[in-house]
Amino acid sequence: MSVQERKQRERAERERLIVATARELAEQQGWDAVTTRRLAERIEYSQPVLYSHFRGKREIIGAVALEGATELAAAARAAALGANGPRERVAALARAYLDFAARHPAVYDALFQLDGGLAYAQEDTPEPLKDAFAALLETLGEVAGDGVGPGLFTETFWAALHGLATLTRAGRLPPEFTEQRVELLVDRLAIA
């Protein structure tokens, strides 16, 4: 391995460490606790080293969001793959989405609440974000119904899931009724 290849590998490893540490800190204490000073202390590198990878917290949030989008897409596909029939696939997808949001609140915030400097629903949207939407579309598009665009239906169903996730997390909806909400959403919106 050449010196340049080794340096590139070390740089990539440092970047993964920064993102993983930011994510861990955000999940434990919230995004307000994620500062370059704290990250530098935790990973035992100087702040200038962090700035050589990311210009600031916004870019770190963006990196966590991209990582989270990849994980969300995998969870959505795995859930749908393990279910039989359109109704079961949609219900499994909904459960997987809500479970992801509940288990990874800081990542979910990075994806959908915070400014990570990422473009959504545009030509220059990063591939992991496009793929996460595609993972929803793969299952939801098949139940969109006659005369309804699969993309528009997926956006609408996704918006409903996002509302359930954020309202439940904020304590506005009691969590013990999540399964009933999923069933209602699937039966009334997806399988009409």
Side-chain angles (χ1 to χ4, degrees):
M1 175 182 310
S2 73
V3 171
Q4 184 172 346
E5 289 172 329
R6 182 182 52 79
K7 285 184 178 187
Q8 287 175 339
R9 188 186 76 226
E10 289 171 353
R11 180 172 176 74
E13 287 173 8
R14 266 194 318 271
E15 193 165 300
R16 280 191 294 276
L17 178 62
I18 293 166
V19 172
T21 304
R23 181 177 174 163
E24 179 183 316
L25 188 57
E27 292 291 3
Q28 291 171 351
Q29 300 176 31
W31 279 104
D32 287 342
V34 179
T35 65
T36 53
R37 191 173 131 252
R38 267 192 150 155
L39 286 174
E41 289 171 3
R42 282 214 176 183
I43 65 171
E44 299 177 344
Y45 283 103
S46 67
Q47 285 182 342
V49 169
L50 266 83
Y51 285 118
S52 74
H53 291 273
F54 300 99
R55 286 183 289 202
K57 183 175 176 177
R58 181 177 184 222
E59 284 188 3
I60 293 169
I61 290 170
V64 169
L66 294 177
E67 190 176 271
T70 299
E71 293 170 11
L72 179 58
R77 286 188 175 108
L81 187 64
N84 295 320
R87 186 196 185 289
E88 291 77 19
R89 280 192 290 280
V90 172
L93 170 88
R95 287 184 200 100
Y97 184 97
L98 295 172
D99 182 61
F100 180 89
R103 285 186 302 112
H104 308 289
V107 174
Y108 192 82
D109 284 349
L111 267 165
F112 302 121
Q113 304 286 81
L114 302 174
D115 179 9
L118 303 173
Y120 286 79
Q122 298 175 19
E123 287 295 318
D124 59 342
T125 297
E127 275 309 310
L129 298 178
K130 288 179 181 179
D131 189 53
F133 185 78
L136 300 177
L137 181 63
E138 290 162 12
T139 295
L140 295 169
E142 73 177 300
V143 298
D146 294 336
V148 179
L152 182 61
F153 180 79
T154 299
E155 290 171 349
T156 303
F157 197 90
W158 170 33
L161 289 175
H162 177 70
L164 290 175
T166 56
L167 290 170
T168 300
R169 187 166 132 208
R172 304 302 196 271
L173 296 175
E176 62 268 18
F177 297 112
T178 298
E179 183 58 29
Q180 290 94 325
R181 289 185 194 100
V182 166
E183 294 295 322
L184 182 64
L185 186 61
V186 171
D187 289 339
R188 298 297 167 101
L189 185 58
I191 310 296

